[in-house]
């Protein structure tokens, strides 16, 4: 089973802070990481390879420094990795990104499954997976929490508001996986050493033969008009009781007084 | 439209570097350079550069692909489960009414399913002027192919201007598929919608960077303008059952082989205990509990209040609670009357999911925990001392 995993290098948004004085985003010192859900996607692919054989390729679209993210994937055990990078890809929204990644998938060819994380933690759109499936005209199953492959079919457990749906589909298909599907493995020391000296192949716009009007900013129907810092709620009341009992007493008075209880 | 830095005027002072939320500007030798990460948001434009070397390039405005004025109407994809309309779809009908009012256009609900005709009256009551009804046995259960083919057909036949979808698992599954086929833009997980007075475009407001910043997004040159909207962000309008409208029945062109996924079954998980989106009272626990066993205490308080149990990402990541309980940017967005956060520090990720709550109560040992900034009432202390007393008091009042 040949699997292509799509990963994105993202700023660790849990480390991003708002400067309270300037109300701007503090990015300094914020590490770049592999999008956490994409590590679940890679782990799912590696487990399928373990069971069914085949190979795991990883692609990532991004600036040259995204090669670091791909090295991490190599260290975890990916067979080969490709950086999809070109000035022409800059400023892409999800439609242009999925068009470009779909072209990279076609270039690699010979795949049974494409696995993505459910969304990237910087944009949180969850759109690139489904849009890639559309560009490639293959089925998709999103929010996957379990995968069982059997020949040319996969049986999937899909997260849903009411619980889990069990869905079957035929290969090739695009899956997007949720965190609960697995615990990503750690890189091995051997893998890390191998990855550190690895040359990361780059696929450019001309390598992919893409229509440049459909990539990057010019291929993006959405535009960012402006950005702003969300309003902070004003500080409420810190309940100052002498001990826990008194605090609870005061809190109950407030809740009953405002008819919340 | 591209934002550029004029090399000849840039003095390489670096003032624009921190202004970029995407870290796209770098200092190179003699001038600052805008890199690939630029999204053209313009945060570096207004009064940031001391020598006015940054500007938006004029003249390369993309020509609209087609006659955009031919696209009229604000649509809502009506999601339903077991013959009941999901709350988010009704919330969206209310928003659609507001947008349509400003545009002078009509509101339509799109109902796709099987045996769903009787939902139409509720869609009218919620604010729709028209219902597009696609009813077919092949649509008895949600499938990406079945529903996206049907919705795409409808769009290509009736040319709506705007489509609102719930940012639910199904809404976020069908939305990108359809937007991609049509070749239009889709803004994800919006929390505010408005109309730009000058251009009459929808301004889609959404959180980015885990809720650290908000972005206003436009879709100027393609139609329909599409967006998914988070559940529980907008209030559901009061239904008006005197309202009626036109029901347009669509003949379904689907063939069984068009649907490439097969629905086998639905496994329900803790349904009664986990309906966070609709809950009036939520008691959430975080890593500050120290041990998963204390979720019993959280549960006891939730039960006494007639509420449900939530959890922070940290608690879910530690395996203390299943993901279905997670409140936050990557979990559920909730809007209860009362939200009680116990042992939750209040990472921005968590705050993004619960800031719609009417009243927030925070219990935490750390007086500097960010959660207190969002709380209406804060108690600094050990939850092990606070909760049993609170549970006892609530039970007393409720006569339990």
């Amino acid at each position: 089973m040949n699997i292509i995993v799509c990963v994105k290098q993202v700023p660790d948004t849990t480390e991003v802070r708002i400067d309270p004085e300037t109300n701007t985003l503090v990015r300094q010192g914020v590490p770049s990481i592999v999008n956490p859900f994409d590590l679940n996607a890679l782990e799912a692919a590696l487990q399928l390879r373990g069971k069914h054989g085949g190979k795991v390729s990883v692609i990532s679209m991004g600036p040259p420094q995204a090669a670091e993210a791909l090295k991490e994937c190599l260290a975890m055990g990916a067979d080969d990795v490709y950086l999809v990078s070109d000035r022409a890809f800059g400023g892409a929204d999800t439609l242009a990104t999925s068009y470009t990644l779909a072209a990279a998938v076609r270039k690699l060819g010979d795949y049974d499954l494409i696995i993505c994380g459910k969304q990237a933690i910087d944009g949180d759109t969850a759109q690139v997976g489904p849009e890639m499936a559309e560009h490639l005209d293959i089925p998709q199953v999103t929010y996957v929490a379990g995968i069982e492959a059997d020949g040319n079919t996969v049986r999937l457990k899909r997260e849903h508001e009411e619980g889990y749906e069990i869905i079957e589909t035929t290969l090739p298909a695009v899956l997007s996986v949720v965190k609960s599907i697995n615990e990503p493995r750690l890189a091995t020391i051997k893998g890390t050493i191998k990855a550190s000296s690895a040359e990361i192949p780059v696929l450019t716009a001309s390598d992919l033969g893409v229509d440049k009007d459909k990539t990057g900013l010019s291929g993006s129907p959405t535009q960012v008009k402006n950005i702003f810092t969300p309003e902070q709620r004003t500080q409420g009341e810190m309940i100052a009781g002498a001990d826990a009992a008194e605090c609870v007493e005061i809190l109950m008075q407030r809740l009953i007084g405002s008819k919340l209880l | 439209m591209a934002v550029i830095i004029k090399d000849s005027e840039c003095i390489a002072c670096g003032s624009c570097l921190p202004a970029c939320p995407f870290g796209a500007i770098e200092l190179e030798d003699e001038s600052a350079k805008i890199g690939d990460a630029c999204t053209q948001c313009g945060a570096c434009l207004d009064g940031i550069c001391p020598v006015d070397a940054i500007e938006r390039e004029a003249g390369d405005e993309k020509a609209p692909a087609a006659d955009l004025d031919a696209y009229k109407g604000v649509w809502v994809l009506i999601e339903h489960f077991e013959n009941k309309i999901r709350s988010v779809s009704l919330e969206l009908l209310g928003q659609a009414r507001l947008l349509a009012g400003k545009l002078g256009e009509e509101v339509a609900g799109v109902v796709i399913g099987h045996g769903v005709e009787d939902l139409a009256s509720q869609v009218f009551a919620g604010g729709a002027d028209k219902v597009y009804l696609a009813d077919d046995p092949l649509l008895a259960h949600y499938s990406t192919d079945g529903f996206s083919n049907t919705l795409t057909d409808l769009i290509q036949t009736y040319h709506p201007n705007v489509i609102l979808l719930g940012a639910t698992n199904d809404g976020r599954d069908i939305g990108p598929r359809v937007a991609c086929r049509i070749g239009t833009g889709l803004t994800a997980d919006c929390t505010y919608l408005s109309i730009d007075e000058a251009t009459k475009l929808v301004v889609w407001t959404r959180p980015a960077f885990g809720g650290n910043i908000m972005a206003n997004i436009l879709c100027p040159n393609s139609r329909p303008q599409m967006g998914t909207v988070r559940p529980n962000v907008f209030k559901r309008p009061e239904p008006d059952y005197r309202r009626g409208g036109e029901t347009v029945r669509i003949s379904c062109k689907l063939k069984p082989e068009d649907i490439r996924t097969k629905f086998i079954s639905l496994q329900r998980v803790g349904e009664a205990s986990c309906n966070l989106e609709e809950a009036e009272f939520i008691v959430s626990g975080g890593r500050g509990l120290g041990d998963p066993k204390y979720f019993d205490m959280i549960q006891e308080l939730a039960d006494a209040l007639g509420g449900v149990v939530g959890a922070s990402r940290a608690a879910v990541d530690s395996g203390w609670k299943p993901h279905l309980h997670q409140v936050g940017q990557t979990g559920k967005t909730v809007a209860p009357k009362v939200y009680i956060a116990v042992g939750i520090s209040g990472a921005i990720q968590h705050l993004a999911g619960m800031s719609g709550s009417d009243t927030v109560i925070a219990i935490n040992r750390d007086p500097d925990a960010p959660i207190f900034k969002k709380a209406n009432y804060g108690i600094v202390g050990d939850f092990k001392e606070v909760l049993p007393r609170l549970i006892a008091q609530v039970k007393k009042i409720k006569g339990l």
Side-chain angles (χ1 to χ4, degrees):
Chain A
M1 178 178 275
N2 292 338
I3 306 170
I4 298 175
V5 177
C6 304
V7 306
K8 183 180 185 187
Q9 188 183 47
V10 295
D12 186 349
T13 53
T14 58
E15 300 285 321
V16 176
R17 299 266 177 275
I18 299 286
D19 182 325
E21 282 175 11
T22 58
N23 250 358
T24 53
L25 214 58
V26 181
R27 291 180 56 109
Q28 240 166 11
V30 175
S32 285
I33 56 171
V34 179
N35 178 45
F37 296 112
D38 300 349
L39 293 178
N40 296 104
L42 177 55
E43 177 62 34
L46 295 172
Q47 287 182 11
L48 285 168
R49 183 186 66 183
K51 263 190 205 156
H52 305 280
K55 70 171 183 177
V56 173
S57 309
V58 181
I59 59 175
S60 182
M61 184 176 117
Q65 54 271 34
E68 286 308 309
L70 287 168
K71 286 187 176 176
E72 228 179 296
C73 299
L74 272 181
M76 268 175 74
D79 295 290
D80 43 27
V81 300
Y82 301 88
L83 177 64
V84 180
S85 190
D86 196 304
R87 292 297 296 205
F89 302 155
D93 73 359
T94 60
L95 188 67
T97 302
S98 60
Y99 168 77
T100 309
L101 283 174
V105 165
R106 281 202 197 92
K107 174 93 182 167
L108 298 188
D110 189 25
Y111 60 90
D112 302 297
L113 261 185
I114 298 169
I115 311 182
C116 313
K118 80 161 180 176
Q119 64 197 45
I121 59 167
D122 57 346
D124 286 313
T125 71
Q127 291 174 3
V128 171
E131 293 190 333
M132 260 172 63
E134 177 62 27
H135 283 298
L136 296 165
D137 193 19
I138 57 177
Q140 78 191 38
V141 180
T142 50
Y143 302 99
V144 170
I147 307 173
E148 281 171 49
D150 182 12
N152 195 37
T153 41
V154 275
R155 180 177 270 238
L156 307 152
K157 188 173 151 189
R158 174 177 187 249
E159 254 186 25
H160 194 261
E161 278 76 3
E162 278 74 25
Y164 294 101
E165 291 177 329
I166 306 300
I167 294 177
E168 271 183 12
T169 192
T170 51
L171 304 178
V174 173
L175 310 179
S176 78
V177 301
V178 296
K179 187 179 185 59
S180 63
I181 190 171
N182 55 39
E183 190 62 48
R185 67 193 63 187
L186 298 171
T188 60
I189 293 173
K190 207 175 128 196
T192 309
I193 293 169
K194 197 181 121 200
S196 66
S197 59
E199 280 286 316
I200 307 295
V202 178
L203 299 172
T204 64
S206 59
D207 293 332
L208 299 180
V210 288
D211 176 351
K212 281 195 187 176
D213 285 342
K214 292 185 178 172
T215 67
L217 194 61
S218 45
S220 299
T222 60
Q223 293 178 1
V224 183
K225 180 175 179 248
N226 64 304
I227 56 156
F228 59 96
T229 311
E231 262 177 66
Q232 302 288 324
R233 191 187 277 209
T234 48
Q235 186 130 9
E237 177 190 354
M238 295 301 280
I239 294 178
D243 56 15
E246 199 186 326
C247 285
V248 168
E249 206 54 61
I250 298 171
L251 176 63
M252 291 303 288
Q253 283 168 16
R254 300 283 188 273
L255 295 181
I256 294 163
S258 47
K259 296 200 164 43
L260 290 167
L261 279 179
Chain B
M1 283 297 288
V3 173
I4 53 163
I5 297 178
K6 289 178 280 182
D7 279 352
S8 53
E9 291 175 34
C10 177
I11 53 170
C13 68
S15 346
C16 53
L17 269 60
C20 178
F22 302 95
I25 311 180
E26 280 179 21
L27 222 44
E28 278 176 23
D29 304 333
E30 319 253 293
S31 70
K33 291 271 186 289
I34 296 180
D36 294 350
C38 174
T39 66
Q40 321 297 331
C41 73
C44 56
L45 287 173
D46 301 327
I48 301 288
C49 177
V51 294
D52 293 329
I54 309 180
E55 62 177 30
R56 204 182 271 284
E57 235 173 358
D60 61 344
E61 290 273 346
K62 233 192 306 179
D67 180 12
L68 302 183
D69 292 337
Y71 291 78
K72 295 275 182 224
V74 181
W75 287 13
V76 176
L77 179 67
I78 304 296
E79 264 193 67
H80 50 87
F81 182 73
E82 296 184 333
N83 222 33
K84 200 169 161 263
I85 295 178
R86 278 197 203 281
S87 181
V88 65
S89 301
L90 298 172
E91 292 157 24
L92 291 185
L93 280 173
Q95 285 302 301
R97 258 293 26 113
L98 293 175
L99 297 179
K102 287 184 192 153
L103 294 168
E105 297 177 7
E106 63 175 19
V107 173
V110 178
V111 181
I112 302 175
H114 184 48
V116 289
E117 181 147 6
D118 52 336
L119 296 180
S121 63
Q122 291 172 58
V123 179
F124 291 130
D129 305 303
K130 198 180 260 179
V131 167
Y132 292 101
L133 182 72
D135 195 308
D136 192 277
L138 287 174
L139 299 168
H141 194 276
Y142 175 79
S143 67
T144 310
D145 288 331
F147 278 54
S148 61
N149 288 3
T150 305
L151 182 57
T152 307
D153 261 355
L154 272 168
I155 293 169
Q156 288 170 339
T157 310
Y158 296 101
H159 306 292
N161 183 11
V162 180
I163 303 182
L164 307 179
L165 306 104
T168 57
N169 285 16
D170 288 351
R172 282 159 50 111
D173 187 79
I174 186 176
R177 192 92 200 190
V178 169
C180 185
R181 200 169 308 167
I182 305 272
T184 192
L186 172 69
T187 308
D189 279 24
C190 301
T191 54
Y192 188 76
L193 307 173
S194 54
I195 298 289
D196 182 68
E197 283 304 323
T199 57
K200 297 288 174 196
L201 290 170
V202 178
V203 182
W204 308 89
T205 305
R206 69 179 306 265
F209 284 113
N212 284 288
I213 57 168
M214 304 296 288
N216 284 328
I217 312 282
L218 302 176
C219 178
N221 300 321
S222 47
R223 295 291 179 274
Q225 306 167 71
M226 293 178 65
T228 61
V229 179
R230 292 198 145 209
N232 273 319
V233 174
F234 298 108
K235 295 279 177 232
R236 215 192 302 188
E238 277 301 311
D240 177 359
Y241 286 100
R242 291 165 308 178
R243 285 182 57 95
E246 182 195 352
T247 302
V248 181
R249 285 177 181 75
I250 309 303
S251 59
C252 183
K253 297 176 199 154
L254 280 179
K255 296 186 290 292
E257 60 269 29
D258 292 335
I259 301 174
R260 294 169 290 184
T261 52
K262 190 168 149 203
F263 171 72
I264 309 285
S265 62
L266 176 69
Q267 300 176 342
R268 286 164 187 273
V269 178
E271 183 203 4
S273 63
C274 200
N275 198 347
L276 284 163
E277 280 102 334
E278 317 256 326
E280 293 209 326
F281 289 87
I282 294 174
V283 188
S284 281
R287 266 259 283 281
L289 295 182
D291 190 309
K293 71 180 179 194
Y294 292 113
F295 264 104
D296 292 349
M297 222 184 247
I298 302 285
Q299 184 77 53
E300 198 181 349
L301 179 57
D303 289 346
L305 290 164
V308 299
V309 171
S312 72
R313 183 167 83 177
V316 170
D317 284 358
S318 305
W320 294 359
K321 271 281 159 191
H323 176 69
L324 290 166
H325 289 269
Q326 186 175 323
V327 173
Q329 180 80 359
T330 50
K332 304 243 167 93
T333 308
V334 299
K337 275 197 337 202
V338 177
Y339 187 87
I340 306 180
V342 185
I344 293 178
S345 65
I348 195 99
Q349 201 275 345
H350 188 77
L351 302 179
M354 48 63 78
S355 51
S357 311
D358 290 342
T359 299
V360 176
I361 300 165
I363 302 167
N364 204 301
R365 262 147 85 120
D366 174 10
D368 296 324
I371 188 79
F372 286 123
K373 292 220 166 66
K374 287 270 175 180
N376 302 75
Y377 303 109
I379 296 180
V380 178
D382 184 351
F383 75 89
K384 291 195 238 31
E385 290 179 20
V386 177
L387 281 193
R389 291 178 170 85
L390 190 56
I391 292 165
Q393 294 259 14
V394 171
K395 282 187 174 171
K396 203 167 85 189
I397 289 182
K398 297 253 181 175
L400 293 171

